[in-house]
Amino acid sequence: MAGAFVRHRGLIAFAAGGAMAEATLLSFLAPSARPLAPQVTALPPLAAYHDLRWLFAFNQPWLGFTGALVLLVVARSAVDAVLLILAWPRETEPDIPRPRFLPSLVSCAVLTVLVGLVMSPVVTLMFGVALLPFSWPYLAAVPILLGTAVALSQGGVGQAWWRRLPPARTVAWVIATFGVLSLASVLMTHLDTPGIVAVAGLAGIVDARAWYGLTAAAVRGAAERPPHPWQWRAALWRIRRALRSRTNWVPVAPLAAVMVLALVVGLARLAFTGNVRFASGGGDVVAGAVAGERGDDGQVVARSAAGGTSASAAGRSGSAGKVSGAVLVVAGFGSTCCQSANALRAAEPHMLVRQFSYLGLDAAGQPIPYGLAGNMSIQVLGDRMAAQVDKLYQQARTPVDIVAESEGTLGLYAMLARHPHVPIGSVVLLSPIVEPGQAGHGVDTVPGAALTTLNALVGGMSPYGRSGAQALIESVSEVGASYFATVSRGTGRPWLAVIPLADAVTLPACPWPRNVIFIDAFHGGLLGDHSVQQMVEAFLTSGKVPDGDLADPVGGSQRDLRSAAQLIAAAAAAWRMPDLHSACPSS
């Protein structure tokens, strides 16, 4: 089998050469997008996913999008047809005809359109991840991508491929190709341009081998012959053929692809209703369990897990002594007010702790309680945060430390960009949204409309309603990147970022500052994690970042976690939207 594959020199040259050509082109036009290059000659579902992401990346209006889509379908179908013909085994049964270009082109075109329809939610999710980078949409999209690729892996090859599920060998080649392309992405982050082009060529050879395995499986299926009449297997063979003839009209492969999408949507629905829970490093459940009290004036008296009071309310500061510091805790999307701050154990005995309210302050200057927070523009969020920081500063007479989580970090970026002289001290970012707004978004563009529709569908399944996070998404697309760039240039304030390892799938594969600490957790819920609380308190007390060689809060070493995060980020880049900007700052 290996010798037969090596003799397909045209297949190898076409697959490897296509990957190397795209890697070379991207080295000049979009170097950060080079991890996508080996996918240009991959098996049809993965290659179509490659094309769709490039189509979405330019965020075109309907006319331009439609024209580009038609050209991509024709080009992809032609490339797949050529690969199919080049990969066809040379020694086949006499009655199995070799594929011709025009019928193969039509079959591949049907497959490309089908894959585009099924993969459109995946690409839309990835477009959303590029706009609002956090790991949950990415982690939902990858199973749909891989499941769809497996279900449609034999598409375009053989007659009536849509009537049957792929054989085990074809499934194995899809999974192996996915792994090799992820590994190629990892290697590319450590090489210069010649090395990257070489890796793309090697991955293209793997693509060629997968194409050969796909066509060989199709030939074996077509060459199936009935056993001798006197064998007992003949009866089973005839029964199977009879059942198959009765179900020829059933599109088994497309239905399997749709079922993958339905399964993920069903799990999301169960998660929203609370029937399925995902561990996320503590979460609000832990935050609620770490009880705190609310003073008569509305301020929070934070308590540790052991029950000892570690932060006094402003109204009690006169009897307890002088307030030595203040902390504003900004919870993320879907949080409630005002108990999330209770779990934070302040470092000094007279630290004033208050939770930020998404609804603002009442007439008495106290945070207004709310149910589920999140769907507002980051401009409004930043302005309200600035107002509450000013109020807390007036009470404490000392710069206010900020502990912000998830969406709260977006509000922090907006506050610092819009109110650069706000009186804040140290900054702690938990599950931060890094590099938001990198993908363009607009109502009149097809990707923007797709994201709006998907947001409405997901919002309809969730407690947030059909509006979902639309106001947040639109504001991030408008000003998120500029706000983040302003803050990234440096504020001169001590800062610490605690990033869940799962969020590495959204990070650029760059060297990160030592202010960045990774923990083994999912996105969100870190405010309620006792180990994270200890880390935050130590930072607020000393102003020093924990030593990178020390053990992290949940076991293992920070050095190992950073290495794992870099590996995950590099592998995930192969399946995200193409990065058209420079991912790593020059420093």
Side-chain angles (χ1 to χ4, degrees), residues 18-43:
M20 296 174 71
E22 180 167 325
T24 303
L25 183 64
L26 292 178
S27 295
F28 294 99
L29 300 180
S32 298
R34 287 179 294 191
L36 276 68
Q39 300 166 30
V40 70
T41 52
L43 291 177

Side-chain angles (χ1 to χ4, degrees), residues 87-122:
W88 199 259
R90 297 181 179 179
E91 290 83 15
T92 60
E93 297 290 336
D95 56 346
I96 301 178
R98 295 183 62 82
R100 293 177 298 168
F101 179 76
L102 187 57
S104 298
L105 178 68
V106 174
S107 180
C108 290
V110 172
L111 172 66
T112 302
V113 172
L114 176 61
V115 172
L117 292 174
V118 180
M119 287 282 193
S120 57
V122 182

Side-chain angles (χ1 to χ4, degrees), residues 52-364:
L52 280 174
R53 280 179 293 162
W54 279 113
L55 186 62
F56 268 57
F58 294 102
N59 202 23
Q60 296 174 309
W62 285 95
L63 182 60
F65 184 92
T66 303
L69 177 61
V70 172
L71 291 177
L72 273 179
V73 169
V74 173
R76 172 53 53 196
S77 303
V79 170
D80 286 350
V82 171
L83 286 167
L84 172 62
I85 294 172
L86 293 175
W88 199 259
R90 297 181 179 179
E91 290 83 15
T92 60
E93 297 290 336
D95 56 346
I96 301 178
R98 295 183 62 82
R100 293 177 298 168
F101 179 76
L102 187 57
S104 298
L105 178 68
V106 174
S107 180
C108 290
V110 172
L111 172 66
T112 302
V113 172
L114 176 61
V115 172
L117 292 174
V118 180
M119 287 282 193
S120 57
V122 182
V123 180
T124 304
L125 277 173
M126 289 301 185
F127 181 78
V129 170
L131 179 66
L132 199 62
F134 69 107
S135 56
W136 286 115
Y138 184 97
L139 297 177
V142 169
I144 304 175
L145 163 64
L146 195 53
T148 301
V150 166
L152 301 177
S153 57
Q154 64 177 352
V157 180
Q159 296 180 349
W161 54 265
W162 48 271
R163 293 197 308 234
R164 55 185 180 271
L165 293 175
R169 290 188 179 183
T170 302
V171 172
W173 275 115
V174 171
I175 296 175
T177 302
F178 182 88
V180 169
L181 294 176
S182 301
L183 178 60
S185 179
V186 173
L187 295 176
M188 287 178 176
T189 62
H190 301 285
L191 298 172
D192 54 10
T193 297
I196 290 173
V197 174
V199 168
L202 293 175
I205 295 175
V206 176
D207 291 337
R209 181 63 183 86
W211 269 99
Y212 179 76
L214 173 65
T215 56
V219 169
R220 282 193 296 269
E224 185 182 26
R225 291 290 183 269
H228 293 292
W230 59 82
Q231 294 180 347
W232 63 271
R233 288 181 295 174
L236 295 179
W237 183 88
R238 284 192 292 269
I239 293 174
R240 186 174 65 177
R241 296 288 291 182
L243 292 175
R244 183 180 298 175
S245 64
R246 294 182 180 181
T247 58
N248 278 345
W249 59 273
V250 179
V252 176
L255 284 177
V258 173
M259 286 301 296
V260 172
L261 178 61
L263 178 62
V264 176
V265 172
L267 288 175
R269 175 61 179 167
L270 291 175
F272 282 131
T273 58
N275 295 320
V276 173
R277 294 183 181 273
F278 301 95
S280 58
D284 293 337
V285 175
V286 179
V290 184
E293 297 178 358
R294 192 174 182 82
D296 296 336
D297 59 355
Q299 292 290 343
V300 170
V301 182
R303 295 183 179 271
S304 67
T309 302
S310 60
S312 58
R316 301 180 185 178
S317 60
S319 59
K322 182 180 179 181
V323 173
S324 60
V327 179
L328 183 66
V329 177
V330 188
F333 193 93
S335 62
T336 59
C337 186
C338 298
Q339 301 297 321
S340 295
N342 296 355
L344 181 62
R345 181 160 57 96
E348 299 184 13
H350 304 297
M351 184 77 73
L352 178 61
V353 179
R354 172 185 281 175
Q355 182 179 349
F356 168 80
S357 173
Y358 280 79
L359 297 182
L361 302 177
D362 59 21

Side-chain angles (χ1 to χ4, degrees), residues 355-380:
Q355 182 179 349
F356 168 80
S357 173
Y358 280 79
L359 297 182
L361 302 177
D362 59 21
Q366 302 304 322
I368 302 174
Y370 58 82
L372 296 176
N375 187 26
M376 65 173 59
S377 70
I378 60 174
Q379 296 96 321
V380 173

Side-chain angles (χ1 to χ4, degrees), residues 400-487:
V400 178
D401 297 328
I402 305 292
V403 179
E405 182 168 35
S406 191
E407 185 189 0
T409 64
L410 294 174
L412 177 64
Y413 307 152
M415 181 184 69
L416 293 176
R418 295 167 67 87
H419 307 274
H421 303 297
V422 67
I424 66 174
S426 300
V427 173
V428 178
L429 310 174
L430 306 179
S431 298
I433 306 296
V434 179
E435 294 190 347
Q438 296 303 316
H441 177 254
V443 178
D444 297 330
T445 67
V446 175
L451 185 59
T452 299
T453 302
L454 183 62
N455 173 70
L457 292 174
V458 175
M461 295 190 300
S462 72
Y464 309 105
R466 290 188 59 82
S467 61
Q470 190 60 36
L472 176 66
I473 291 172
E474 290 178 352
S475 63
V476 170
S477 68
E478 180 183 355
V479 295
S482 62
Y483 286 175
F484 183 82
T486 299
V487 175

